[in-house]
Amino acid sequence: MLQTVPTCGAVLDLHFSPHHPEVLAVATSVGALEIYRLHRVPSISLERLLLVQAFDPAILILSLAWHPSPERSTEIAVSSSDGNIALLDYKKNPVIQLVKEAHSLEAWTVSWSNFDRTLDDRVLYSGGDDSGLGAFLPRQLSSEVRAHDDNSKSTATAIFPVFNTKIHGAGVTAILPIKIANHSTSETILTGSYDEYIRVLALSTKGVWKVLAEKRLGGGVWRLKQIASPERNDMPTPTRNSLYVLASCMHAGARVLQIRNTGDETWSIRVLYRFEEHESMNYGSDATMVQGLDEGEDQSTVIASTSFYDRKLCLWRVPSSIMLSNTPAAVSKYAT
């Protein structure tokens, strides 16, 4: 333990900036966003830079997402326990734009699209306890966003906002925008839900979501994180049109998944590895690639997973041979 830093409330989400890796944003249970700077010299330490009161202190900030564009490097989207979504600039401090009641219940998650659009047309996704999946353009944010439910529109930006409550059987808790080389013609995302399913969804030019693949993981899919691929040019690999995802599945533990695109709208979801040592809800996991941990293995994916009531932190690893395997034996040995 290098340092313990008191915060203004319980911590519900935190992410380092993709543009300034030493800057950390923390979502709290008192409606505030805290911004920290990580110092590495003379020793590793966190310094709190400021506190942004985005909502009333009785409201919880449930998730946050840094804007992916360098031109908007100080902007952060947040979601709240009363169903609101806010976009704020921590250097300017006040909320820039606010979506009133984007969801009728808790807005569990918010995420930015990685689809190639102009700066002002970057899509902001949200998921809520009302089973709702929202897609908005920040410049169009208003209190009327819930008026549309997959109706037909025409142009690339006129389809927004889009709001769907029919795909998921329970609250939408995780959204991960994805991009694969041979599939770049539409907004494509992975979603996780309390209904225990992970889904691949694509948004049509008419503003309609289509389910391209889905798989039940055995527990509520609380978080999804894309992890590094162990693939190398000198190694045989089943496909280059795939990515790897770490899923935190609440009471079912963690899953390592391969998401594969074999055609324009043909997708598959494979469970490569299961970790079920937690005795409580697995709400958060992360991974890194480490060289040479296993004999005969060049690389292993080392994963840290956490659980709630038992306050447990587990470290475990998945050898690259499992990540790259495409045989039924490898899947049946480590996952069902």
Side-chain angles (χ1 to χ4, degrees):
M1 181 76 70
L2 298 178
Q3 184 185 15
T4 299
V5 180
T7 59
C8 64
V11 175
L12 297 169
D13 199 12
L14 72 168
H15 294 284
F16 281 97
S17 166
H19 315 292
H20 306 288
E22 75 283 0
V23 177
L24 175 71
V26 176
T28 74
S29 60
V30 292
L33 197 68
E34 294 188 336
I35 306 296
Y36 291 85
R37 183 181 300 279
L38 177 65
H39 297 281
R40 298 185 181 276
V41 292
S43 61
I44 295 177
S45 63
L46 279 175
E47 173 196 9
R48 193 172 86 171
L49 301 179
L50 73 158
L51 182 147
V52 181
Q53 193 69 48
F55 300 107
D56 184 276
I59 302 301
L60 286 68
I61 297 182
L62 298 174
S63 71
L64 67 92
W66 290 90
H67 200 292
S69 300
E71 299 90 339
R72 303 275 175 85
S73 64
T74 57
E75 293 185 14
I76 303 172
V78 297
S79 65
S80 71
S81 57
D82 60 349
N84 286 344
I85 298 171
L87 178 62
L88 56 89
D89 187 321
Y90 76 83
K91 284 199 170 180
K92 296 180 180 177
N93 208 6
V95 171
I96 302 172
Q97 297 176 74
L98 180 67
V99 180
K100 293 283 188 182
E101 296 181 1
H103 295 269
S104 59
L105 297 170
E106 292 93 339
W108 289 121
T109 188
V110 67
S111 183
W112 291 98
S113 166
N114 60 6
F115 191 70
D116 293 330
R117 291 183 179 271
T118 64
L119 183 62
D120 290 332
D121 289 334
R122 182 77 70 165
V123 179
L124 179 63
Y125 300 113
S126 67
D129 206 50
D130 53 3
S131 303
L133 173 63
F136 318 107
L137 295 181
R139 60 184 174 84
Q140 295 177 334
L141 297 188
S142 72
S143 60
E144 306 301 321
V145 296
R146 300 189 70 248
H148 307 288
D149 194 5
D150 279 4
N151 54 358
S152 295
K153 309 184 192 84
S154 57
T155 68
T157 59
I159 67 170
F160 300 101
V162 174
F163 195 83
N164 180 288
T165 58
K166 300 173 183 176
I167 292 174
H168 300 86
V172 180
T173 49
I175 300 172
L176 177 64
I178 60 174
K179 183 184 291 186
I180 289 180
N182 290 352
H183 186 84
S184 58
T185 59
S186 63
E187 297 272 353
T188 307
I189 63 173
L190 301 179
T191 63
S193 172
Y194 280 134
D195 67 9
E196 302 188 355
Y197 279 85
I198 180 175
R199 294 176 173 89
V200 182
L201 304 177
L203 184 62
S204 76
T205 56
K206 292 185 177 181
V208 178
W209 285 109
K210 183 175 182 179
V211 180
L212 303 180
E214 62 181 2
K215 190 175 186 65
R216 190 172 186 177
L217 298 183
V221 185
W222 182 254
R223 284 291 182 265
L224 296 169
K225 182 177 180 63
Q226 185 171 346
I227 59 179
S229 167
E231 298 174 8
R232 299 201 317 261
N233 292 331
D234 60 341
M235 294 179 67
T237 176
T239 178
R240 295 293 174 186
N241 299 325
S242 62
L243 54 87
Y244 298 90
V245 171
L246 177 60
S248 299
C249 299
M250 300 180 68
H251 68 271
R255 303 285 188 270
V256 176
L257 312 170
Q258 182 194 55
I259 314 297
R260 182 180 176 188
N261 174 235
T262 56
D264 187 36
E265 292 192 346
T266 306
W267 293 75
S268 64
I269 303 170
R270 295 176 60 227
V271 178
L272 300 178
Y273 202 94
R274 298 187 307 172
F275 185 82
E276 299 177 338
E277 297 302 315
H278 290 285
E279 299 173 359
S280 179
M281 299 290 192
N282 169 219
Y283 280 129
S285 308
D286 208 343
T288 188
M289 193 71 72
V290 177
Q291 302 291 327
L293 283 180
D294 295 289
E295 185 177 352
E297 294 281 352
D298 292 329
Q299 298 174 314
S300 290
T301 299
V302 176
I303 296 172
S305 56
T306 61
S307 45
F308 188 58
Y309 295 107
D310 57 356
R311 295 175 291 178
K312 184 181 287 186
L313 169 67
C314 295
L315 290 176
W316 43 286
R317 62 179 182 263
V318 183
S320 58
S321 59
I322 296 174
M323 301 281 281
L324 293 171
S325 174
N326 197 34
T327 65
V331 176
S332 63
K333 180 179 179 182
Y334 293 98
T336 58

